[in-house]
Amino acid sequence: MQNPLIKYNEEEITLAHKINNLKKEAGSHSPSIFTFKQKLPELNIKIDACFLSNPYATDLFLNYFTKEIINTGKIRELLEFYPSQNQVISEILSSFLNVNYKNIFIGNGAIEIIQAVIHNFTKKKILINIPTFSSYYEFVKPGIEIIYNTLKKENNYQLELDKYFDLIKSEKPDTIVIINPNNPDGGYIESHDIRKILETVREVATVILDESFIHFAYENDNFDPISMADLVTEYPNLVLIKSMSKDFGIAGIRAGYAVMDEKRVKELLDIGFLWNSNGLAEYFFRLYTRADFAYHYNSVRIRYIMETIEFIEQLKKIKGIRVYPSRANFILIELPENIKSIDFVTALLLKHGIYVRTCEDKIGLDGEYIRLASRTSKENKIILESIKNLFK
Ligand SMILES: *Cc1c(COP(=O)(O)O)cnc(C)c1O
């Protein structure tokens, strides 16, 4: 595959141009499958390996939802009435998370919390590791300085602690952002290192720790996820942010929460966010804390992790691409120098109906990259065969 565009017929070339334009219009977040279906109905998308969710978790949620809400007619209540207020939902999560409800803030997706936290608590200077999830720098208000800590390719984009601490000492940011595991590379910081960071950066006013992919990570053979949520009493500068979209496969219902110092929760609630949830999200949060759901969720979580590990092993065998280590449910892949990321993504979409994410817009990546989500094992097999086919 020199330039994948060479093999296209005329129809495909037109379509390739349209795909590229849609991508450009979408900015730093990829166009959704809905957008593609609406704007390019001639495109036959079979697998969405762009969005980063556990498909088995979505199935599990839908089973519960169908049985308890749809089949019982309770859906009417969820739609007709107001959902519970922010702090009422916090109370539901409190014992499950082992933190006081006053430390919990509910968001309409984690994205709302990122915006609220950065707009209200970042005063002068924010330190962001790149590559990263773009909202962390896009939501920074004018007048606030952004310092980037560029993670090194030679180091597989892992955070180097000593260098990081030196940078914090010299730049004195009031806010730092750590995503664990990181998006877009899946790099994971072990919990003892997170502890070390928290211990070292006590002077930093706001330490954002985004654990949106933590249910895919593990440090032992039982694949137990390790959350730092209950450390907020020990480290009052910690702001832990958690999206439920990816690991529970429910991005459409917009559910996220944060754990932070109670003064901060109060400060945010005083300016709004009263009914920022919705009936579906409230149902989900109640489910999340139930033992029966947790039991079933853990089994689909572990199944998915094991299949993802296998997927990564198979990807590593493909010659020509470089697979970065990941403890999330997606894989950062570096393409050979002569292949542009957008051409690869377009070829995979046009020839195989598989949608993956280009990383063209990701700052801090050196080279041509795609980010590939792990899907069901059946879909992963198709993805593997299709990528191999492109490299023939
Ligand atoms: C997707 C994502 C979010 C936003 O999640 P929502 O809950 O859907 O708003 C936040 N942080 C990271 C790192 C993400 O990848």
Side-chain angles (χ1 to χ4, degrees), residues 255-357:
Y257 63 81
V259 178
M260 57 182 127
D261 190 66
E262 78 174 74
K263 285 198 272 320
R264 295 194 200 237
V265 174
K266 185 169 182 313
E267 198 180 323
L268 293 181
L269 291 173
D270 284 348
I271 57 170
F273 305 105
L274 184 63
W275 279 305
N276 61 335
S277 218
N278 64 72
L280 302 183
E282 181 174 354
Y283 171 70
F284 169 76
F285 278 127
R286 290 179 186 277
L287 199 57
Y288 176 50
T289 63
R290 269 166 51 183
D292 57 326
F293 179 79
Y295 175 80
H296 292 300
Y297 174 68
N298 202 41
S299 73
V300 296
R301 186 181 69 82
I302 291 175
R303 173 186 174 188
Y304 181 60
I305 290 176
M306 290 171 67
E307 289 178 5
T308 300
I309 292 173
E310 173 61 21
F311 186 41
I312 294 174
E313 285 313 307
Q314 296 302 322
L315 283 165
K316 280 188 192 159
K317 292 184 187 157
I318 301 177
K319 288 207 178 64
I321 59 174
R322 176 168 170 196
V323 176
Y324 283 78
S326 169
R327 241 179 284 176
N329 65 328
F330 51 84
I331 306 105
L332 182 71
I333 294 176
E334 188 174 0
L335 301 170
E337 268 170 38
N338 60 335
I339 296 173
K340 286 259 166 276
S341 163
I342 185 76
D343 291 337
F344 183 85
V345 168
T346 306
L348 210 51
L349 196 51
L350 272 180
K351 300 277 185 200
H352 298 281
I354 297 169
Y355 180 35
V356 302
R357 195 191 192 293

Side-chain angles (χ1 to χ4, degrees), residues 52 108-112 114 133 136 179 183 210 212-213 242-246 251 254-256:
L52 309 169
N108 192 279
I111 203 88
E112 184 181 53
I114 295 172
F133 182 62
Y136 280 108
I179 306 175
N183 181 2
D210 184 326
S212 293
F213 295 93
K242 175 85 184 102
S243 167
M244 315 310 283
S245 297
K246 322 295 178 25
R254 314 304 303 127

